[in-house]
Amino acid sequence: QTQSKVKDATHNVIIRYRDDPDLQNAIDKIQQGLKCCGGYSYHDWEHNEHFNCSAKTVQACGVPFSCCRKVGLVFICLPLM
């Protein structure tokens, strides 16, 4: 039951990511600090209307920049495809 509540909370936060700048900053700081992307995996971002692959935005099939990792001089981001 606890796992279900955490999953629901994570899902709701990801859905609202672009709606609230304070929430967005908090999620970005958490992802950068924990070196993670999403609640369980980067696929969680498919639930956000700006990042899912059917979106008509430049972020479609993508993830927030806070999911990206610097490798040498470049940043690597995981696509959702």
Side-chain angles (χ1 to χ4, degrees), residues 34-67:
L34 295 176
K35 295 185 170 81
C36 66
C37 185
Y40 294 96
S41 81
Y42 68 94
H43 289 287
D44 293 336
W45 288 100
E46 179 67 19
H47 299 289
N48 181 282
E49 68 178 334
H50 301 281
F51 295 104
N52 70 48
C53 290
S54 63
K56 302 290 187 225
T57 68
V58 297
Q59 300 153 336
C61 291
V63 293
F65 187 73
S66 58
C67 287

Side-chain angles (χ1 to χ4, degrees), residues 21-33:
D22 292 332
L23 178 63
Q24 181 176 329
N25 288 333
I27 293 170
D28 288 340
K29 293 226 181 278
I30 291 168
Q31 289 191 147
Q32 290 169 332

